[in-house]
Every structure is written in structure tokens, then in C-alpha cells.
Amino acid sequence: MASCVRVWLNRTYAENVFFMDQVRKNPSDRAVEIHATHGDPDSPVLAAADTAELEPEGLSPAAYVEYALAQCARRGIDVFVPRLHQGAIVAHRAEFEAAGTALLAPPPEAVAVFHDKVIAYEAVQAIGVPVPPWWRVRSADELVRAVDELEARGHQACFKPASGAGGVGFRVITRAPFSLTQLNGFPSPYVPLDLALEAVRQAEEPVDWLVMPVLDQPEVSVDCLTGPDNRVRLAVGRTKNGRRRGFTVDERWLEPARRIAEGFGLHHLSNIQFRMFGERPVLMDVNTRPAGGLHQLSLCGVNAPWAAVRLALGDDPGEMSPPFLGQDYSVVSGPRPLRPVSVPQQRTDVPAPALGGVPAPAVPAGPRAAADSGQVRATAADAVAGGSAAWGTHHR
């Protein structure tokens, strides 16, 4: 009988509870135990894991690598799926391998290219993948010039940090003055240009923004599984158009995604996002990690998380294609149980396990059972779903 596989996810998005579910319910019927660490004691991933710990705060990337190596040795981790400090961790791949842990992540060179969106755009342009026009902005004067030029071409300008994940820091520039329009209803991504300029001028440090036109729908996020030989094993596009979502294997999206994944060695799982600029797809963002919405490929009969774990363990799943494309769908929030106390390490009602972690509580059979137990809830929708929301809420 094959041994149990120990998988660790560090400080990941709440939606990756579904990643964990799929790894456990794998078609190989392989036993899996999942370890999770997070800085938020109320993260649903801690409750969904078999063992869980709070991460120490304030560690430098180098100190975090030491912490991670100790976790892998102490927990007997077979596969580590790093999100926090991914770049620093993959730079020490040999040390993790010596500890018996495979990293489900690309090599450091690939992570470095796509950490900075300006470097990424320049790199993918060099291999023939189209990108939208963009400006790197560090001052108020540069912001005015970029916005003026985009508007002169008939586009509305938006900006986002040059380095960052998801839709954090995304805003759309408007010339309309600040008014009750911005205060009524839900918070808006729109920001008046004069307020943005004033904030930049008063900032203690220069900003580092990427300014570009607001891109059109659909948004297509291509999930790729790539082997260490730089050959893509799986590529499926997830489409978004408003709240309607679906799937595609149209080569106008998949071909440039494969070119990026293979050309830059995006080993294991990556997510490559496109939108329309005029009549053609252009690159929006590249995530060197599993997307929060990766589990949605299960609607196409594909268990991508387990295929990635197999690949990381050296068990190549070979070339994969979805046996069918699932019907269009929408994403709605749902309940997930939380741990019964806010700080796992300080529990006094149960003995501490030998390894110092606290096993996750049993997950109730369904929403009613959890409600009857009086547990606090959190929804997967409370977290940013990886890069699948990149460039923001304005596109939904």
C-alpha cells in the first residue's frame, strides 16, 4: 500500500480549502494528510487542514525559509505548496529536497520574472505575446502624462502596483470630481485624478504603479500544469464575463499561455490571465502559483491539484485534457466552519499533540450541522481568489 502523502500549504487564500478537498478526494485513492499554517487564526484553511499552526509574524524572507525548513522536517512534509515568500523558498529548493520535501512551485528565475509586472511585460513581449500599452509611474507628473496619453487615445486609465497579487491596489482613474456618487452604495474602484495626484504628492515614498487602459471582457484565466521538462501537461481557460463564468480550450487563449509557461519554465501550477484590448487578447497578469479558482476545473472532470501533487512527487500524469467542458456557472459564497477558538496554540481544553500542532476539528456533515454546533462561519468569498481577480473588481 502506498504511503500517506503529507502536503503543506502556507498562508494561502481562503478559497484553497477547495484545493485541499480535491487533493484528499484524489482519483488515485491515495491517503493524504494536509498541514496548514496561517497568520490569521480564523482562516478557513486552518480548520480544513488535518494539522494547523499559526505562523510567526515579522520574519524576514531568510528567516521564513529557516522556519519552513524546520516545519518540513518536523512534519515530514512530502509536498510544500508555498505562497508566502515563494521567491525566497524556491531559491533554496535543494535544501528542501535534502529534507525530503518537493516544492510545488516554479524555479526562482521564473518567479523573479513575474514578480514585477514591468519586467514580465517586457519579457513576454520578447517572445511574441501581446500586452496592452503601459507606463511605469513613480510620481504625480508621470501619472498625469500617462493618463493624458491614454485618454488622448480614447482609453480610460487604471493603475495597480507594479508588484502585487490579485486586485489589491487597483483603481480606475476618473476626471469626475469627488461627490456623493463615490459615497452612495458599495465602495467603488473609481478614484478622481486630482485626489490620486494629491495622495502621490503627499506620500513619504515614491509610488510604483503600472498605468494602462481598462481592458475589455471577457477575462480568461488559463490554468497550466507544466513539468520540469518545460512541457505543459494541462491547459484550460476559465472565462469571466460579468458574473457568467465558463470554460474554453480556444487556442487564441491557450497558445500564448503555453508559450509563456514553457518559455519561462513555469513548472507545476501557474495561472495566466488575458483580457481583450480592441479585437485581440492581451496578457493581463501571470501568477506563479495555483489560482484560487483552480478547483472550478472539476466541473470539466479534471482534478488539477492532485495531478500537480503527483507531478511534484515524480509521478508524471502525462498530457491531460478535460474530457468535457462544464456548463456556464456563477460563483456564490458558502459556509465553511472555523476553528472553535481564535488562537490554536493557546487551547487548554485538549492535550497538545506530540508535534506541537493542533489537529483541525471535525468538519460537520453540512451547513445545518455546523449551524447546530454553533461554530463561527467564514465564506470562501471573503478571500481574494488568487490572480483570478487581478486587475480588479471593475471587470466583474
Side-chain angles (χ1 to χ4, degrees):
M1 179 181 293
S3 61
C4 178
V5 179
R6 288 281 289 166
V7 179
W8 173 27
L9 286 79
N10 76 330
R11 203 171 297 209
T12 192
Y13 302 106
E15 200 171 11
N16 273 332
V17 294
F18 303 116
F19 183 106
M20 297 159 74
D21 290 344
Q22 286 191 283
V23 171
R24 283 198 187 95
K25 299 174 183 177
N26 63 79
S28 304
D29 200 26
R30 184 83 177 267
V32 174
E33 290 183 2
I34 296 179
H35 182 56
T37 58
H38 209 285
D40 177 5
D42 291 330
S43 170
V45 300
L46 296 181
D50 297 291
T51 57
E53 294 181 13
L54 281 179
E55 293 187 356
E57 297 291 346
L59 295 182
S60 68
Y64 192 91
V65 170
E66 294 301 315
Y67 160 79
L69 284 165
Q71 282 280 313
C72 289
R74 186 164 66 93
R75 291 287 182 180
I77 301 299
D78 298 299
V79 178
F80 178 19
V81 188
R83 189 203 64 83
L84 183 66
H85 295 312
Q86 186 191 61
I89 288 166
V90 297
H92 293 265
R93 187 182 299 270
E95 295 171 51
F96 284 94
E97 290 178 346
T101 300
L103 297 181
L104 202 157
E109 298 81 8
V111 174
V113 167
F114 295 105
H115 176 72
D116 185 303
K117 292 178 174 57
V118 170
I119 295 174
Y121 275 20
E122 292 173 340
V124 300
Q125 277 184 294
I127 63 170
V129 175
V131 301
W134 53 270
W135 288 258
R136 190 168 206 159
V137 164
R138 293 189 171 90
S139 68
D141 290 343
E142 290 177 347
L143 178 58
V144 169
R145 285 195 293 271
V147 173
D148 284 346
E149 188 160 349
L150 278 168
E151 292 180 343
R153 300 182 188 183
H155 305 299
Q156 185 163 26
C158 62
F159 66 83
K160 185 182 179 183
S163 298
V168 177
F170 171 84
R171 296 294 186 272
V172 178
I173 293 290
T174 176
R175 297 277 184 170
F178 186 80
S179 68
L180 284 177
T181 301
Q182 279 79 32
L183 299 179
N184 289 331
F186 292 103
S188 166
Y190 290 85
V191 59
L193 177 60
D194 58 340
L195 295 184
L197 291 172
E198 184 64 21
V200 171
R201 293 186 180 108
Q202 293 183 3
E204 296 181 359
E205 298 179 357
V207 298
D208 189 8
W209 290 344
L210 198 67
V211 177
M212 58 184 288
V214 175
L215 301 175
D216 296 325
Q217 294 184 349
E219 178 179 323
V220 178
S221 296
V222 182
D223 295 307
C224 292
L225 175 64
T226 306
D229 57 358
N230 295 341
R231 182 168 55 84
V232 169
R233 306 298 197 269
L234 172 70
V236 184
R238 291 181 287 113
T239 65
K240 298 181 186 178
N241 202 331
R243 68 184 305 162
R244 177 173 290 272
R245 303 190 181 201
F247 304 99
T248 181
V249 288
D250 190 325
E251 283 297 319
R252 66 175 178 161
W253 311 103
L254 268 56
E255 188 278 330
R258 287 196 198 95
R259 196 184 313 174
I260 292 171
E262 295 180 343
F264 295 97
L266 293 179
H267 301 167
H268 304 293
L269 289 169
S270 60
N271 176 256
I272 303 170
Q273 302 168 356
F274 301 89
R275 271 187 171 257
M276 297 298 294
F277 181 61
E279 298 299 318
R280 67 174 182 170
V282 294
L283 180 71
M284 186 170 67
D285 208 353
V286 175
N287 296 302
T288 60
R289 52 169 174 74
L294 179 69
H295 64 280
Q296 293 161 14
L297 295 187
S298 64
L299 298 177
C300 300
V302 174
N303 188 328
W306 178 245
V309 169
R310 286 182 57 192
L311 186 61
L313 292 172
D315 179 18
D316 196 330
E319 292 193 15
M320 304 170 59
S321 60
F324 54 87
L325 294 183
Q327 70 180 63
D328 286 359
Y329 62 102
S330 181
V331 174
V332 295
S333 63
R336 296 288 298 203
L338 294 183
R339 301 181 72 85
V341 291
S342 60
V343 184
Q345 291 98 316
Q346 295 183 358
R347 290 185 65 179
T348 58
D349 56 328
V350 294
L355 292 178
V358 178
V363 177
R368 173 174 289 274
D372 292 342
S373 70
Q375 293 184 13
V376 182
R377 305 301 181 95
T379 69
D382 291 335
V384 177
S388 63
W391 290 94
T393 54
H394 77 292
H395 287 135
R396 298 195 174 180

